[in-house]
Amino acid sequence: MPRGVTIDHVSFGYNKTAVLDDVSLDVAQGELFAFLGPSGSGKTTLLRLIAGFGTPSQGRVLIGERDVTGLPAWNRNVGMVFQSYALWPHMTVAKNVAFGLERRKFGRAEITKKVRTALDMVGLGAFADRRPAQLSGGQQQRVALARTIVIEPEVLLLDEPLSNLDAKLRVEMRSELKAMQRKLGITAIYVTHDQEEANAIADRIAVLDQGRIQQIGTPTDLYDHPANRFVATFLGTANLIDGRIDGGRFVADKFTLEGITAADGGACISIRPQDITLGPAASGAGAIVAEREFLGSVVRYRLRMSGQHIVVDMPHRRDGETYAVGAEVGLTVDPRQIAVLR
Ligand SMILES: Nc1ncnc2c1ncn2[C@@H]1O[C@H](COP(=O)(O)OP(=O)(O)OP(=O)(O)O)[C@@H](O)[C@H]1O
Ligand SMILES: [Mg+2]
């Protein structure tokens, strides 16, 4: 039976250094939830607290309705896949998968059946007698997954499970992983520092920086409505422009934008590169093309405008207009596509 996870005002530190600061979030039953943040932001630490490897200095961890804050790992029905896979090299694939069941004192026949089901589920039914060293990285990763799902945990915790794989396999495995999570209907928390991976796989994402939650939302929420500068720049490329909003108009040096629906006062707006259109410059109001990169589907321009760099992606068309380095260009922005940050 899958259960949700609640993190309720959790703080944690090693010695006296704070690593997690007042973290709260709810993972729904059956949801695939990602912790996304740069290295050292506290993702693994938070995952370990859910698994029961460590106790928060403040706050509570709940699995379903049950407060598990003080419970040791083996009293929580949680399965964790470690980044390193931690397979036993001297055991066959089947033995690796059976290990957790043996410790839980299942009967021999039942173990054989469960192991077979789990290996079939990850597509490794034919590999039961191999040893980890005779498998590819992706296959080892699937053994680690089979070993975890075979114990039928209520919650599946995955710590950068694909980081050892090459780029192509990583993309394949992430959709397989998502399909499997759906099939099992299991609640899963997926740790990654790769925003593309989080966007591709997660129902919702919690963005962490320096032990604090910056924002929680669906991938599109976070991309379209970032709460702050960190989220705006961590999830994709963003042009951040500082200025003021005054009666529905955003004013910055050399740049004004009408039709803003946000309260008056100092503000920073975030504009995605694809939400700016280049055209001829109105006299003196333009930006200068500093660099132009052809990326295939888009042409990426780096512009200089009052000492600031602006990135613009224009879709590439065979007969489309392009602008040379050094040219002066005008910018058009749809005010509905911007995010106002404070
Ligand atoms: N055992 C430990 N003792 C002391 N400090 C630790 C320990 N483990 C982690 N830390 C510190 O806690 C902070 C958060 O570490 P954590 O492993 O949770 O980060 P992370 O977000 O998982 O990073 P990464 O993406 O690199 O895996 C870091 O500053 C790290 O140096
Ligand atoms: Mg980590």
Side-chain angles (χ1 to χ4, degrees):
M1 175 67 183
R3 297 202 192 277
V5 175
T6 303
I7 310 287
D8 180 25
H9 295 287
V10 162
S11 296
F12 181 82
Y14 289 107
N15 304 320
K16 284 196 176 88
T17 325
V19 173
L20 295 171
D21 182 10
D22 196 21
V23 170
S24 292
L25 57 88
D26 279 295
V27 180
Q29 193 176 309
E31 187 173 28
L32 205 171
F33 194 96
F35 294 167
L36 173 67
S39 185
S41 55
K43 307 179 296 292
T44 296
T45 305
L46 186 52
L47 207 64
R48 291 174 61 88
L49 293 183
I50 298 169
F53 305 119
T55 312
S57 53
Q58 275 177 45
R60 300 182 308 154
V61 177
L62 285 83
I63 295 177
E65 302 288 301
R66 192 160 73 122
D67 185 337
V68 298
T69 315
L71 287 185
W74 58 87
N75 282 341
R76 306 182 184 194
N77 197 2
V78 164
M80 184 150 167
V81 176
F82 295 92
Q83 180 177 338
S84 55
Y85 310 153
L87 300 176
W88 284 282
H90 60 285
M91 290 185 192
T92 63
V93 165
K95 276 282 181 196
N96 265 282
V97 177
F99 189 81
L101 298 171
E102 282 166 1
R103 285 217 323 203
R104 284 169 173 75
K105 306 267 182 269
F106 281 90
R108 178 94 340 246
E110 197 170 3
I111 291 179
T112 307
K113 187 161 150 263
K114 281 178 185 286
V115 167
R116 187 169 304 144
T117 309
L119 284 176
D120 284 343
M121 187 160 295
V122 298
L124 289 180
F127 293 75
D129 297 326
R130 296 231 193 146
R131 288 177 205 284
Q134 299 166 313
L135 300 176
S136 73
Q139 290 164 340
Q140 289 180 36
Q141 198 266 344
R142 283 186 254 176
V143 177
L145 192 63
R147 188 179 57 175
T148 307
I149 60 180
V150 79
I151 61 164
E152 295 171 36
E154 292 171 330
V155 179
L156 181 61
L157 305 178
L158 303 150
D159 193 358
E160 311 238 15
L162 308 182
S163 57
N164 290 345
L165 309 181
D166 67 55
K168 183 163 174 285
L169 196 56
R170 202 152 58 218
V171 170
E172 280 170 25
M173 283 302 298
R174 78 182 181 209
S175 44
E176 272 188 35
L177 209 100
K178 180 158 182 148
M180 201 172 313
Q181 183 262 345
R182 286 281 178 273
K183 195 157 74 181
L184 293 169
I186 195 169
T187 308
I189 303 180
Y190 189 101
V191 164
T192 178
H193 60 267
D194 179 340
Q195 52 117 349
E196 183 188 302
E197 195 167 287
N199 282 338
I201 204 172
D203 297 310
R204 284 190 306 149
I205 299 172
V207 181
L208 278 156
D209 185 38
Q210 297 184 14
R212 294 202 189 100
I213 302 264
Q214 301 297 314
Q215 194 172 1
I216 297 173
T218 65
T220 23
D221 275 345
L222 299 179
Y223 189 80
D224 289 342
H225 307 287
N228 57 37
R229 288 168 190 254
F230 181 83
V231 177
T233 50
F234 198 71
L235 285 119
T237 305
N239 295 294
L240 301 180
I241 303 174
D242 285 300
R244 291 191 63 76
I245 295 173
D246 199 353
R249 168 191 247 209
F250 176 80
V251 184
D253 195 19
K254 275 208 186 182
F255 183 83
T256 58
L257 188 60
E258 308 278 351
I260 306 283
T261 49
D264 285 359
C268 171
I269 62 170
S270 163
I271 315 174
R272 298 295 180 191
Q274 68 276 24
D275 295 327
I276 303 178
T277 309
L278 297 185
S283 61
I288 304 295
V289 176
E291 247 178 76
R292 189 178 77 179
E293 274 175 351
F294 174 62
L295 301 178
S297 60
V298 297
V299 183
R300 170 159 287 197
Y301 292 92
R302 284 175 218 284
L303 313 174
R304 236 188 347 265
M305 187 179 75
S306 10
Q308 182 163 11
H309 283 273
I310 307 274
V311 181
V312 178
D313 287 343
M314 296 284 279
H316 168 64
R317 300 268 175 267
R318 289 180 187 189
D319 51 359
E321 180 107 48
T322 57
Y323 302 90
V325 170
E328 191 178 8
V329 289
L331 314 182
T332 311
V333 177
D334 180 347
R336 290 168 308 179
Q337 300 301 327
I338 66 143
V340 178
L341 314 174
R342 299 281 182 178

